[in-house]
Amino acid sequence: MRRALIYIEDGHDKQGPSLLQAASAVLGDAPFESCALITAGPTDHLYGAFDCIFDARSERLDPFDAAAMAALISALHADTHFDCIVMAATPSAVMLAPRLAVRSDFGLVTNVDEIKWQDEQLTCFRLAYGGSTRVGIGVSKHAPSLLTVRADAFSPQENRPVRETRIVEVTDAACPDAPARLRKRARHEVTDPDIRKSAVLVAGGGGIAANFAALRPLADALGGDVAASRAIVDRGLAPRSIQVGLSGNRVAPRLYIALGIHGAIQHVTAISSADYLISVNTNVNAPICSLSDIVVVGDAFAFVDALLKMIKEEKGNGNV
């Protein structure tokens, strides 16, 4: 029987079902043995979902040491032989996956968000070239594959049969002594809205840097949130949590109002799923203008004042 190993990284335990679904897509319709690897945290939520749990919780092993983790998984593969290994596409996986691929001679595909079988050919899809292009990467079905998977890209299968889970204790002797150690972990409390879920976004770019705060009243009047381009974030005028772009957030609002935003490819790619785009710019030749449903050529602050006045009047007339 074929086997799949799902590495459930500390702090990402909720992604287990999604990663298991990705492994199912790789191995196709044939039955397979599902194995989970944990290095920290509880295991109760994994019972019934996996056939096997490798419990590598050990004082000797620090899961943040990529070299030690690669050695451990490679040793498990040598003993058990996995047809595919799947892990979440996290910063730790960026360090771990290439090391593991070299040690165990795996074919590696990163940041996968879709998997298809076509004419007995397995193809993994991901974004490339800064998110401007989507590519499919063929994977041999005759060799083990290693994938890092984007968060929640695969919906867990409903009514999956309950498994009789067995626990395999990974002994301290099998856990490499990790020279690198995590000294401290601190949780950063985020109070900013999750703009990825916003229906309306009022976004500002370099053209409104003189008074970025002026966007807030308009966003509130429209029942939306404020967002920023990288130019604003790099100047320290807005937190990175509300940055739109490939180095920030990809968004899909019903309405996106772009004020003073030039429209670099990284930004327009990140807003490509917006239903309706209004851009306000003094430069009619700005790249974002060619993609907009409505282009207002003029001063962004004057536009904000005029629209706020109109909304106030409509509310006074009972039309809003």
Side-chain angles (χ1 to χ4, degrees), residues 16-160:
S18 177
L19 298 177
L20 181 56
Q21 186 60 32
S24 299
V26 171
L27 298 179
D29 297 329
F32 67 95
E33 183 180 33
S34 58
C35 304
L37 170 64
I38 64 163
T39 57
T43 61
D44 296 352
H45 62 291
L46 302 177
Y47 281 90
F50 292 89
D51 297 295
C52 169
I53 298 175
F54 288 101
D55 186 348
R57 292 175 292 184
S58 170
E59 291 294 330
R60 292 188 59 186
L61 179 68
D62 191 314
F64 291 93
D65 187 324
M69 283 301 305
L72 171 62
I73 298 175
S74 181
L76 291 176
H77 173 63
D79 290 339
T80 309
H81 183 78
F82 303 109
D83 295 282
C84 75
I85 296 179
V86 180
M87 61 185 69
T90 64
S92 295
V94 171
M95 303 297 292
L96 169 58
R99 287 175 166 83
L100 179 58
V102 171
R103 289 186 68 111
S104 297
D105 197 25
F106 281 108
L108 172 61
V109 187
T110 60
N111 296 301
V112 175
D113 58 23
E114 185 180 7
I115 297 170
K116 288 184 178 180
W117 278 95
Q118 296 177 328
D119 300 325
E120 297 190 358
Q121 172 63 56
L122 174 63
T123 305
C124 297
F125 294 88
R126 55 160 293 171
L127 295 174
Y129 302 109
S132 62
T133 302
R134 198 168 158 72
V135 299
I137 301 170
V139 179
S140 173
K141 64 179 180 180
H142 301 295
S145 54
L146 171 61
L147 310 181
T148 68
V149 176
R150 295 186 63 179
D152 301 322
F154 295 85
S155 299
Q157 177 184 333
E158 296 182 0
N159 301 319
R160 182 182 290 275

Side-chain angles (χ1 to χ4, degrees), residues 279 284 286-292 295:
S279 61
V284 71
I288 199 169
C289 294
S290 63
L291 305 172
S292 301
V295 177

